[in-house]
Amino acid sequence: MKPCVCCLASLLLAVTAFAASPDSFDWPQWQGADRDAVSKETGLLKEWPKEGPPLVWKLKDLGGGYSAPSIAGGRIFGMSKRDDKEVVWALSEADGKALWATPLDQPPSQSMPQGQEGPGCTPTVDGDRLYVISNGGEIACLQAADGKVLWHRSMIQDFGGRMPTWSYRESPLVDGDKVVCTPGGTDATLVALDKLTGKAIWKSQLPEVSSGRPSGSSGGRRRGPASSAAYASAIAIDFDGQRQYVQFLAKTVVGVAAADGKVLWRYDHPANGNAINCSTPLYHDGFVFAASAYGAGGGLAKLVKDAGGNIKAQEVWFAKKMQNHHGGVILYDGCLYGANGGNEGGALVCLDFKTGKVLWDQRQEERAPKGSIALADGRFYYRCENGTVLLIEPSTKEYIERGRFEQPDRSKAPDWAHPVIANGKLYLRDQNVLLCYDIKAKQPA
């Protein structure tokens, strides 16, 4: 009995040592701590100097890829393609010094040119472990300290997954004892794995029956089964006392029960006709918002439970003015902020959350073209695909810019990796390059 107690105590100490302190503001997974691209950090610059915030350090040998990093416990984690291998890597948060790099599998063959540079998954850090998904669908659990692979499963070989056209780009969701991911197979649309062992807890099957697409829905050829995976990452929500996982699939947004994977509801309208659904859904107070480009748009649905306990997603509004490609959408002070536009370009827009009314649109002024977005301390960090980085003050009336700079050492690829904010720093990843900027406001003497 005593040896077991000692082992448990040692394990708890190790996890505690790795966990962030109460004063830290880590970014431990895709879109931050709560998967909403919002940091709770304060004391940041409200306005940037003309040349932008000071650059702390720069790394130029990451390898290719579009994945944004995650940051936890003094380490920076990410994925890249190096020497025709996908690798998971860790850096020191203090100075960017390389700590370890672990190879996974070989990148899959992909006919489309976009994304061939490398993986798009942001590692998910949970205590002393991290979880990743390769382009080829290998989900792996690694030790955060040294990168040792503890277990791995194949979403294709083990769960009959169907690889999307641009390969898997999902960042795994860790919730309680489960790791949730999206093979997109007929028998396993989503799966929940035991985070310690990788064993399947449940497999969720999406019936191939449409709930009907509302008038005004995006047309086009609906590629593949409804259960096929797209490129979004799932979120966890609590609705009417029940834990759910919400994911944007190839043809629909679904909510499944966290306990057993049962499909509870679906909302088809935000999905586009090309099955290129990339942006993470958003949940607030019983409402789900999701959006995609390629002629689709964004829709708000209210979750409603009937007398029999069944849940339906009832559409409240749908707007073509929020065709969010993959830069993300943020809810702030009753408004939705995000880029409207696909491959043709686009711009930052602001919509009323309750009605979908456009409050302002940057398409005409062209000061904030299509990009990705994050929020911290009352300011938006907006990264344009062309390399311009903006600091924006939220406003329901107009676009208010509080700073801009041009990212140095630009690659030839679009800047698709989202901005990351952690512990007073702004991180920008551009393929082989990682830039770290100091955005902490100076304290008065």
Side-chain angles (χ1 to χ4, degrees):
M1 206 46 201
K2 287 183 179 180
C4 293
V5 173
C6 291
C7 290
L8 179 59
S10 299
L11 178 61
L12 289 173
L13 285 172
V15 172
T16 302
F18 183 79
S21 70
D23 296 327
S24 69
F25 293 91
D26 285 344
W27 194 274
Q29 61 177 328
W30 167 246
Q31 290 196 333
D34 298 321
R35 288 211 160 197
D36 57 3
V38 178
S39 169
K40 294 181 175 64
E41 187 168 3
T42 58
L44 305 180
L45 290 168
K46 296 294 186 179
E47 199 160 333
W48 287 342
K50 186 177 180 179
E51 66 278 8
L55 179 65
V56 180
W57 54 258
K58 174 173 59 178
L59 190 65
K60 300 181 69 173
D61 58 356
L62 280 185
Y66 291 94
S67 60
S70 56
I71 299 166
R75 301 183 182 99
I76 304 169
F77 303 96
M79 296 186 70
S80 298
K81 184 169 79 170
R82 299 177 184 173
D83 300 324
D84 206 31
K85 280 281 189 180
E86 289 189 49
V87 300
V88 187
W89 44 259
L91 313 173
S92 166
E93 186 180 355
D95 55 13
K97 180 182 178 181
L99 299 177
W100 54 258
T102 300
L104 293 180
D105 56 1
Q106 188 172 349
S109 175
Q110 180 180 295
S111 59
M112 296 294 186
Q114 303 94 337
Q116 288 191 3
E117 296 89 342
C121 168
T122 292
T124 302
V125 186
D126 181 66
D128 59 353
R129 298 183 176 208
L130 67 146
Y131 302 83
V132 298
I133 298 176
S134 72
N135 279 3
E138 179 181 357
I139 178 167
C141 171
L142 296 84
Q143 288 185 165
D146 57 10
K148 178 183 177 181
V149 177
L150 300 176
W151 59 258
H152 62 92
R153 304 292 302 274
S154 169
M155 294 205 288
I156 295 176
Q157 299 300 322
D158 295 331
F159 301 106
R162 291 180 291 261
M163 187 185 301
T165 303
W166 283 270
S167 70
Y168 287 103
R169 301 283 162 175
E170 180 182 13
S171 300
L173 170 67
V174 177
D175 184 53
D177 63 346
K178 295 185 283 292
V179 182
V180 180
C181 56
T182 315
T186 302
D187 297 325
T189 307
L190 282 83
V191 296
L193 310 177
D194 185 299
K195 71 178 183 181
L196 298 181
T197 66
K199 293 182 179 179
I201 297 173
W202 51 250
K203 296 186 289 185
S204 181
Q205 295 177 305
L206 179 69
E208 296 297 332
V209 178
S210 173
S211 60
R213 296 182 61 79
S215 60
S217 62
S218 61
R221 183 162 59 93
R222 311 298 296 169
R223 297 184 178 181
S227 58
S228 296
Y231 309 95
S233 298
I235 61 172
I237 72 169
D238 292 299
F239 172 71
D240 198 28
Q242 183 181 30
R243 190 73 163 172
Q244 298 183 21
Y245 302 132
V246 179
Q247 176 62 306
F248 204 167
L249 302 173
K251 292 185 179 181
T252 188
V253 182
V254 297
V256 306
D260 57 11
K262 177 185 177 182
V263 177
L264 302 172
W265 55 268
R266 61 183 290 172
Y267 177 38
D268 293 0
H269 203 171
N272 61 69
N274 297 314
I276 309 174
N277 305 312
C278 309
S279 287
T280 300
L282 183 154
Y283 175 79
H284 176 70
D285 198 24
F287 293 85
V288 173
F289 176 82
S292 71
Y294 300 92
L300 183 72
K302 182 179 181 180
L303 300 184
V304 178
K305 182 177 285 189
D306 62 23
N310 299 312
I311 302 173
K312 291 186 178 180
Q314 296 182 350
E315 186 169 272
V316 178
W317 57 261
F318 192 87
K320 291 279 188 177
K321 280 289 188 176
M322 186 57 91
Q323 294 189 39
N324 193 259
H325 196 186
H326 42 59
V329 179
I330 291 179
L331 172 63
Y332 180 77
D333 197 22
C335 298
L336 293 169
Y337 296 83
N340 172 39
N343 290 329
E344 75 283 0
L348 182 65
V349 296
C350 174
L351 272 61
D352 183 273
F353 180 68
K354 292 183 178 179
T355 66
K357 178 183 177 182
V358 177
L359 301 179
W360 52 259
D361 187 342
Q362 265 292 300
R363 190 176 289 268
Q364 296 300 320
E365 297 184 35
E366 298 182 344
R367 285 187 291 171
K370 181 187 170 195
S372 52
I373 191 168
L375 175 71
D377 198 16
R379 292 291 185 267
F380 288 117
Y381 292 75
Y382 189 76
R383 187 185 196 188
C384 306
E385 290 185 0
N386 62 12
T388 303
V389 186
L390 305 172
L391 186 68
I392 301 167
E393 180 179 344
S395 170
T396 60
K397 298 179 180 179
E398 59 183 337
Y399 171 82
I400 303 175
E401 189 175 298
R402 296 301 184 188
R404 73 164 51 213
F405 69 93
E406 299 299 322
Q407 179 218 308
D409 297 293
R410 280 282 289 120
S411 72
K412 295 181 180 179
D415 273 343
W416 285 344
H418 289 210
V420 168
I421 301 143
N423 303 314
K425 302 295 192 298
L426 167 66
Y427 296 88
L428 302 174
R429 195 262 177 94
D430 182 6
Q431 299 296 327
N432 200 44
V433 173
L434 182 63
L435 303 162
C436 173
Y437 290 88
D438 184 1
I439 55 172
K440 197 75 176 176
K442 292 184 178 179
Q443 298 300 319

